[in-house]
Amino acid sequence: MSKLVIVGTVAFDAIETPFGKTDKILGGAATYIGLSASNFDVDSSAVSVVGGDFPQEYLDLLKNRNIDIEGIEIVKEGKTFFWSGKYHNDMNSRDTLATELNVLEHFNPIVPDNYKDSDVVMLGNLHPLVQQGVLNQMTKKPKLAILDTMNFWMDIALDDLLSVIKNVDVITINDEEARQLTGEYSLVVAARKVHEMGPKYVVIKKGEHGALLFHNENVFYAPALPLEEVFDPTGAGDTFAGGFAGYLAKTGDFSFENMKTAVIYGSTLASFCVEKFGTERMQSLTDKEIYKRLDQFKSLTQFDIELN
C-alpha cells in the first residue's frame, strides 16, 4: 500500500453561511485532506497538533478512516487552533471573524519514523518553514511533493515560501494567489512564472469555475460540477488537494496524463464537501456516490465533434 504524509491543521471551525451557522465543529486542512484521501487505498499519516480540548471522538474518526494519528501531537495544557468565518450571499467571499493560533503558534512537526520514506508528501496550508521542516525529515526524496499555500504567507513570509516552493513538484493555489505570487494577471503567464520557481506542475483552483493544470506547454482544464446548492465552501480546496494527492499516491503514476485524472477526482470530492457544513458530508461519503458523480463529470466534459 502506498504511503502518504499529510501536514496541516487539525482544528475547530465555527461557520456561518446564508443557510445557517455552527458552533465549534471539526475542521482544519489536514482533516479535509485526510478524509478526502481516505477514499483511496492509501496508508496516510496526518502530521499536526491539537490541544487538550480536542475530543477523542474526532481522533477516532480519523483513525477509522485509515489515517495514522501518531504524528498528531497533543498539547494537553494547550488549546486547539480555532477559525471562525462568515460567508457572503455569493458564497465566494467571506469575512474571518476569529483566528486563534493557540498550540499552532509553536508547532514543530514530527513525521512518524515509518512514514519518513513515503512516496507522496502533501504539504497543507501552513507556515512555509513548517512545510520545509517536514521535507527535511524525509529519509529519501519523495517521488511527489505537493504544496498548498495562500496569500497570507505571501504577505508575511514570501522568502521562506519561495524557498520551499523550489523543493516541491506540484503547487496548488487559487487564481488570486497565482496572480499575487507572480504579479501576472494572465493565469497562463502566471503558471509559467511559477514553473520557473521550481514546481513541474501547477494547479490553479478557480472555485466554482473549476481548476487548471499546467505542465510545461501542456494545459488541462477541469470544470466544477454545477450543483443545485452550495451549503458551505469551507475546506473545498483542501478536499480537492486530498483527492488529487490520494489518487496519485494510489496509482503511483505522476505523468501529466494521470494528473489530469487526479484533478477530476479532486474536483469530484470537493463537490461533495460543499453540500453540508464542515466535514459532515465527507464522513458519510460512499464509493458508489463517488463513481456516480465521476460519471456525471464524464458526461459534462465529453462530446463528439467532426473536424473538417
Side-chain angles (χ1 to χ4, degrees):
M1 188 184 290
S2 300
K3 287 195 281 191
L4 168 67
V5 168
I6 299 162
V7 60
T9 51
V10 173
F12 291 130
D13 289 341
I15 302 158
E16 184 175 347
T17 78
F19 299 101
K21 62 191 296 187
T22 72
D23 293 322
K24 281 187 178 180
I25 59 173
L26 177 62
T31 305
Y32 283 102
I33 293 167
L35 290 174
S36 184
S38 72
N39 290 287
F40 305 91
D41 192 19
V42 293
D43 179 9
S44 61
S45 172
V47 177
S48 192
V49 62
V50 296
D53 57 344
F54 197 73
Q56 183 63 40
E57 66 181 279
Y58 288 165
L59 293 171
D60 292 341
L61 166 68
L62 298 176
K63 273 172 71 173
N64 292 339
R65 296 298 290 262
N66 200 34
I67 302 167
D68 186 281
I69 60 170
E70 186 188 339
I72 301 179
E73 179 188 358
I74 302 172
V75 181
K76 289 189 176 175
E77 67 281 7
K79 283 183 157 186
T80 302
F81 173 72
F82 171 66
W83 175 83
S84 175
K86 180 178 181 178
Y87 287 89
H88 298 177
N89 285 336
D90 65 0
M91 300 293 270
N92 287 321
S93 53
R94 70 186 184 194
D95 298 321
T96 292
L97 305 178
T99 302
E100 298 172 12
L101 291 177
N102 298 328
V103 294
L104 194 66
E105 191 170 0
H106 304 292
F107 174 43
N108 180 32
I110 305 294
V111 179
D113 286 343
N114 59 328
Y115 287 92
K116 288 182 176 177
D117 61 348
S118 296
D119 285 338
V120 180
V121 176
M122 177 67 230
L123 301 170
N125 176 28
L126 277 176
H127 195 292
L129 291 178
V130 174
Q131 295 174 319
Q132 185 60 57
V134 169
L135 290 179
N136 292 346
Q137 292 175 58
M138 305 306 288
T139 54
K140 66 173 187 178
K141 189 176 187 299
K143 291 181 180 175
L144 194 74
I146 308 164
L147 179 142
D148 189 30
T149 192
M150 67 181 298
N151 48 10
F152 179 71
W153 305 119
M154 297 172 198
D155 292 336
I156 71 159
L158 182 59
D159 288 345
D160 294 329
L161 178 59
L162 292 174
S163 181
V164 72
I165 284 175
K166 287 179 190 173
N167 299 322
V168 301
D169 304 291
V170 185
I171 184 170
T172 70
I173 48 179
N174 68 29
D175 44 2
E176 178 190 346
E177 292 154 356
R179 289 177 174 125
Q180 179 173 339
L181 184 60
T182 62
E184 297 289 348
Y185 184 80
S186 162
L187 294 179
V188 176
V189 179
R192 190 179 305 132
K193 281 202 170 182
V194 177
H195 277 313
E196 291 167 2
M197 296 174 186
K200 301 188 208 63
Y201 298 92
V202 179
V203 178
I204 299 179
K205 299 171 288 186
K206 292 170 60 62
E208 63 178 328
H209 303 297
L212 289 155
L213 169 68
F214 296 89
H215 173 59
N216 296 329
E217 299 304 313
N218 299 311
V219 185
F220 173 69
Y221 170 69
L225 192 70
L227 299 171
E228 286 191 21
E229 60 181 15
V230 174
F231 202 81
D232 171 22
T234 310
D238 295 316
T239 301
F240 172 92
F244 179 81
Y247 177 79
L248 292 171
K250 177 187 177 182
T251 58
D253 177 355
F254 310 129
S255 65
F256 180 73
E257 285 302 311
N258 202 48
M259 289 225 177
K260 285 162 43 172
T261 307
V263 168
I264 294 293
Y265 267 99
S267 297
T268 299
L269 288 158
S271 75
F272 286 109
C273 177
V274 302
E275 291 182 342
K276 291 189 177 180
F277 272 124
T279 62
E280 187 181 349
R281 187 67 179 93
M282 300 310 294
Q283 293 178 38
S284 63
L285 193 56
T286 65
D287 287 346
K288 187 175 179 182
E289 289 173 317
I290 293 170
Y291 289 123
K292 183 178 178 183
R293 192 154 291 183
L294 279 169
D295 196 49
Q296 288 177 273
F297 257 102
K298 192 175 177 183
S299 300
L300 181 71
T301 55
Q302 275 197 335
F303 60 90
D304 291 317
I305 187 169
E306 199 169 305
L307 298 175
N308 296 317

